[in-house]
């Protein structure tokens, strides 16, 4: 006997209610204007989907009415990925110029372009949890690209965050900021680059505190138990990834994990743990290539007990040193640090001014150090400073599978092969998160280098791209004044007395200084006033944000290493 149609209707309705007992029904909301988007954000309930049509949506948009649930989050997505643009007002100093401001839990934001805001995405209310930010492109913003402020348990993945110029103000900014006791967040498979990339250095006129040298790619500030995994970070002014706790902070920065990341081409340091607290953090299986200040560091940590393990540090002519454990501004050393299974490498025959590893106060700074591999041409006495070799450290030249294309996997029979404390190779190992393709991509970025005897130089460039600019200070220069470089009409000052006397530059090749990242009109024009202030200029083309997203969406040779796309 067949069931009565009305009974079937009741059963179907009851099933919907069981699946979504609060709502009874889920719905799809299509929007095609800023007004309809705001209306949908206010109406959406658990399990709903908001589809945003292709187009430009100007203004700030608040998610502050309803929350989703663990089983039924609310999905906010672009109808076509990166075709729906959330447009700010262009005033990057306007703190009210926000993109998405999220104050309710269990939302997913997927596939947008956000540009010209102060903060493109902010998650700011304590108690707001389980927000997923995925497959978005955020660029040209004034403060933090994605700002997690006193909020926890979020997933930030497969996004591009790029091109944050310096703006007036104080404090530190980041491509991805995690602050004020934000806990248990996972930041993975993002590309973050060119953050406060105006070229400010401590060698500027006035020193470290002048200008806007405060940009990090990813900053974990007074927050704990966060995981930063599988990210590519480049071209950040103050540091690529930093775990920070200062004397003024009410919350610790402990038990964070930095693993399987790549840092490259940054004026600031690589992976850092500072300043007075920041303890029990793990920096594991990362690859650092050609950062200026240091590849990784710990600074004045108490009680400390941070771990640096299985990292690969590649020092290039653009690096000042490899890694360091140093004192903070209160002259307190790092404490009880474990450093093992790391690979420190440079093949620059002129690199005698570049320490692979520098340690202040070894006895206090080190809990355990061994099973590390060091190599650099020249006398071993110049390789490190303040370092006591472990009995199982190796000082031999390693061989790599494909160094020219960024594959720093140890070749068969290389020193360090299967010689780590855990029986694995010393240094980092590529996996589903630490991608060979990303290393290959960054080493394939177009570069140009020119030598000049005058006071100006021009490069033929792509107007669609921005370029890192480096200048080489001649070894023979007697100039000790303040040089003003003009790059596309933008002035960049350098105090030559400061940078030479204080050791920001040293013997060759430690003569390169960074002049920022710059847009252009198809010709990149650089001028300066003193003939002997520069004799070589080097530029590197950076990807557009959409090109960088192509690196995320295409695994290439890493396709066999499965990483979930969503």
């Amino acid at each position: 006997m067949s069931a009565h149609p009305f009974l079937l209707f009741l059963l179907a309705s009851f099933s919907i209610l069981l699946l979504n007992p609060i709502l009874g029904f889920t719905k799809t909301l299509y929007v095609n204007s800023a007004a309809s988007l705001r209306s949908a954000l206010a109406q959406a309930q658990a399990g709903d989907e908001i589809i945003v049509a292709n187009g430009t949506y100007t203004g700030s948009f608040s998610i502050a009415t309803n929350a989703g649930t663990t089983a039924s989050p609310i999905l906010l997505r672009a109808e076509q990925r990166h075709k729906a643009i959330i447009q700010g007002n262009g005033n990057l100093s306007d703190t009210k110029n926000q993109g998405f401001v999220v104050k309710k839990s269990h939302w997913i934001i997927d596939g947008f372009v956000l540009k010209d805001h102060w903060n493109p995405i902010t998650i700011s209310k304590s108690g707001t949890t389980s927000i997923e930010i995925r497959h978005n492109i955020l660029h040209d913003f004034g403060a933090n690209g994605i700002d997690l402020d006193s909020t926890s348990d979020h997933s930030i993945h497969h996004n591009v965050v790029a091109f944050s110029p310096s703006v007036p103000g104080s404090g530190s900014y980041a491509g991805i900021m995690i602050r004020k006791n934000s806990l248990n967040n996972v930041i993975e498979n993002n590309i973050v680059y060119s953050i406060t990339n105006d070229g400010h250095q401590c060698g500027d006129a006035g020193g470290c505190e002048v200008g806007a040298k405060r940009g990090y790619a990813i900053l974990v500030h007074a927050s704990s138990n966060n995981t930063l995994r599988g990210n590519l970070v480049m071209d950040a002014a103050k540091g690529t990834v930093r775990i920070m706790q200062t004397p003024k902070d009410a919350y610790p920065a402990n038990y964070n994990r930095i693993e399987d990341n790549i840092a490259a081409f940054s004026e600031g340091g690589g992976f850092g743990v500072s300043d007075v607290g920041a303890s029990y953090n793990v920096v594991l299986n990362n690859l650092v290539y050609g950062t200026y200040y240091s590849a990784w560091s710990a600074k004045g940590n108490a009680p400390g007990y941070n771990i640096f393990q299985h990292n690969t540090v590649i020092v290039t002519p653009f690096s000042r040193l490899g890694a360091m454990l140093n004192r903070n501004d209160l002259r307190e050393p790092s404490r009880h640090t474990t450093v093992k299974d790391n690979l420190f490498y440079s093949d620059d025959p002129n690199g005698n001014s570049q320490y692979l590893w520098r340690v202040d106060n070894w006895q206090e700074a080190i809990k355990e150090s061994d099973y590390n591999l060091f190599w650099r041409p020249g006398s071993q006495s110049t390789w490190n400073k303040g370092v006591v070799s472990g009995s199982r450290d190796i000082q031999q030249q390693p061989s790599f599978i494909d160094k020219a294309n960024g594959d720093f996997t140890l070749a068969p029979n290389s020193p360090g092969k299967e010689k780590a404390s855990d029986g694995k190779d010393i240094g980092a190992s590529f996996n589903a998160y630490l991608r060979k393709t990303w290393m290959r991509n960054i080493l394939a970025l177009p570069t140009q280098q020119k030598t000049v005897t005058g006071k100006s130089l021009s490069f033929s460039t792509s107007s669609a791209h921005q370029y890192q600019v480096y200048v080489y200070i001649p070894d023979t220069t007697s100039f000790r004044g303040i040089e003003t470089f003009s790059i596309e009409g933008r002035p960049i000052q350098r105090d030559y007395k400061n940078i030479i006397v204080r050791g920001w530059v040293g013997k060759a090749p430690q003569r390169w200084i960074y002049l920022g990242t710059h847009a252009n009109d198809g010709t990149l024009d650089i001028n300066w006033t003193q003939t002997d202030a520069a004799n070589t200029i080097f530029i590197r083309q950076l990807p557009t944000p959409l090109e960088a997203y192509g690196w995320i969406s295409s695994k290439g040779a890493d396709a066999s290493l499965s990483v979930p796309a969503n």
Side-chain angles (χ1 to χ4, degrees):
M1 184 174 66
S2 61
H4 191 280
F6 182 71
L7 179 59
L8 291 175
F9 172 79
L10 289 176
L11 288 172
S13 299
F14 183 65
S15 297
I16 293 173
L17 289 169
L18 284 176
L19 289 170
N20 202 334
I22 298 175
L23 300 176
F25 299 95
T26 62
K27 58 184 178 292
T28 299
L29 303 171
Y30 292 91
V31 302
N32 58 10
S33 68
S36 61
L37 175 55
R38 289 190 180 91
S39 177
L41 294 175
Q43 292 177 35
Q45 299 183 20
D48 287 353
E49 179 179 20
I50 302 172
I51 299 177
V52 182
N54 298 351
T56 300
Y57 301 78
T58 301
S60 299
F61 300 89
S62 180
I63 298 173
T65 305
N66 297 315
T69 66
T70 301
S72 299
I74 301 171
L75 173 60
L76 169 64
R77 70 173 179 89
E79 185 173 22
Q80 288 182 280
R81 188 166 286 170
H82 307 146
K83 298 295 186 181
I85 300 170
I86 308 301
Q87 174 72 52
N89 65 20
N91 183 352
L92 304 190
S93 300
D94 178 5
T95 59
K96 296 181 179 179
N97 178 26
Q98 305 280 341
F100 289 126
V101 179
V102 185
K103 297 183 178 181
K104 291 293 180 179
S105 300
H106 299 289
W107 280 71
I108 301 170
I109 299 176
D110 184 353
F112 293 91
V113 172
L114 297 100
K115 64 178 184 177
D116 299 327
H117 298 94
W118 169 253
N119 279 1
I121 298 178
T122 301
I123 308 172
S124 63
K125 187 174 181 179
S126 179
T128 300
T129 66
S130 304
I131 304 300
E132 183 178 359
I133 309 296
R134 68 191 190 196
H135 299 293
N136 301 284
I137 293 175
L138 298 74
H139 66 91
D140 294 282
F141 52 91
N144 302 310
I146 300 174
D147 188 0
L148 308 185
D149 183 356
S150 309
T151 184
S152 301
D153 299 299
H154 306 300
S155 174
I156 314 296
H157 65 91
H158 295 90
N159 303 282
V160 171
V161 184
F163 298 121
S164 167
S166 295
V167 297
S170 61
S172 295
Y173 299 132
I176 300 176
M177 171 71 82
I178 305 167
R179 59 188 174 122
K180 294 182 182 177
N181 204 35
S182 292
L183 311 173
N184 306 315
N185 300 289
V186 177
I187 314 298
E188 65 183 16
N189 295 312
N190 303 284
I191 296 179
V192 186
Y193 65 104
S194 293
I195 306 301
T196 63
N197 54 333
D198 69 344
H200 176 76
Q201 290 182 306
C202 292
D204 286 8
C208 296
E209 302 308 317
V210 176
K213 183 182 169 65
R214 58 178 184 268
Y216 300 88
I218 304 174
L219 176 58
V220 179
H221 189 177
S223 297
S224 298
N225 295 102
N226 298 285
T227 298
L228 283 53
R229 178 173 57 215
N231 303 287
L232 169 60
V233 288
M234 302 184 291
D235 189 30
K238 195 166 186 179
T240 49
V241 177
R242 181 69 59 87
I243 309 297
M244 179 186 294
Q245 179 185 347
T246 72
K248 297 179 181 179
D249 291 323
Y251 305 104
N254 297 340
Y255 302 105
N256 298 286
R257 293 183 66 86
I258 303 174
E259 57 185 327
D260 303 328
N261 302 282
I262 297 171
F265 311 143
S266 277
E267 190 279 323
F271 303 104
V273 181
S274 64
D275 193 26
V276 297
S279 299
Y280 309 105
N281 299 284
V282 175
V283 180
L284 174 69
N285 202 59
N286 302 283
L287 197 159
V288 188
Y289 186 93
T291 57
Y292 169 74
Y293 192 66
S294 64
W296 55 256
S297 65
K299 183 178 180 181
N301 312 95
Y305 297 100
N306 295 294
I307 297 173
F308 295 85
Q309 185 173 14
H310 273 300
N311 302 287
T312 292
V313 175
I314 306 299
V315 176
T316 75
F318 298 94
S319 305
R320 185 168 181 259
L321 76 162
M324 64 180 177
L325 302 178
N326 62 321
R327 299 177 184 274
N328 60 22
D329 293 341
L330 301 176
R331 307 305 300 160
E332 299 167 333
S334 297
R335 295 174 176 87
H336 310 121
T337 312
T338 294
V339 180
K340 62 182 181 181
D341 305 325
N342 301 287
L343 189 155
F344 303 81
Y345 177 83
S346 172
D347 60 4
D348 193 323
N350 299 311
N352 287 339
S353 64
Q354 300 164 303
Y355 293 121
L356 295 176
W357 186 22
R358 194 195 90 188
V359 180
D360 294 342
N361 199 331
W362 178 273
Q363 188 171 1
E364 287 189 81
I366 295 297
K367 175 179 180 290
E368 177 186 1
S369 176
D370 211 349
Y371 297 95
N372 300 295
L373 188 155
F374 301 91
W375 173 258
R376 198 193 71 191
S379 170
Q380 287 189 24
S381 64
T382 67
W383 290 7
N384 300 318
K385 182 178 181 180
V387 173
V388 177
S389 295
S391 61
R392 286 152 295 197
D393 283 347
I394 296 173
Q395 291 87 19
Q396 293 179 290
Q397 184 171 11
S399 56
F400 302 110
I401 294 293
D402 187 4
K403 180 178 67 174
N405 290 303
D407 186 351
F408 292 97
T409 303
L410 293 179
N413 302 316
S414 170
K417 190 73 176 178
E418 299 178 353
K419 296 298 184 180
S421 63
D422 53 10
K424 299 179 181 179
D425 292 355
I426 291 177
S429 297
F430 290 101
N431 56 35
Y433 293 95
L434 186 65
R435 300 189 187 185
K436 293 180 184 179
T437 53
W438 284 4
M439 280 302 302
R440 185 166 62 245
N441 289 343
I442 66 172
L443 292 184
L445 290 170
T447 63
Q448 298 181 54
Q449 181 172 311
K450 292 185 179 181
T451 300
V452 64
T453 56
K455 296 182 288 186
S456 66
L457 199 59
S458 295
F459 293 88
S460 179
T461 51
S462 163
S463 59
H465 293 87
Q466 297 196 32
Y467 289 79
Q468 290 183 303
V469 178
Y470 296 81
V471 60
Y472 190 88
I473 299 177
D475 303 74
T476 57
T477 185
S478 60
F479 179 61
R480 293 295 186 271
I482 295 175
E483 176 59 80
T484 300
F485 292 88
S486 175
I487 304 177
E488 290 294 291
R490 178 180 171 186
I492 302 289
Q493 285 192 327
R494 289 292 180 268
D495 183 341
Y496 273 45
K497 180 179 180 180
N498 186 41
I499 61 178
I500 292 172
V501 171
R502 294 185 61 188
W504 294 106
V505 300
K507 297 179 181 178
Q510 197 182 317
R511 308 289 294 183
W512 290 102
I513 59 174
Y514 177 56
L515 296 182
T517 297
H518 302 269
N520 69 99
D521 58 3
T523 301
L524 188 67
D525 296 314
I526 306 170
N527 302 279
W528 55 99
T529 62
Q530 301 293 322
T531 302
D532 63 346
N535 65 4
T536 307
I537 306 291
F538 174 92
I539 67 172
R540 178 183 291 110
Q541 178 180 299
L542 294 174
T544 67
L546 193 58
E547 288 170 345
Y549 183 79
W551 297 2
I552 291 176
S553 60
S554 175
K555 295 187 181 69
D558 296 332
S560 62
L561 303 173
S562 177
V563 177
N566 294 305

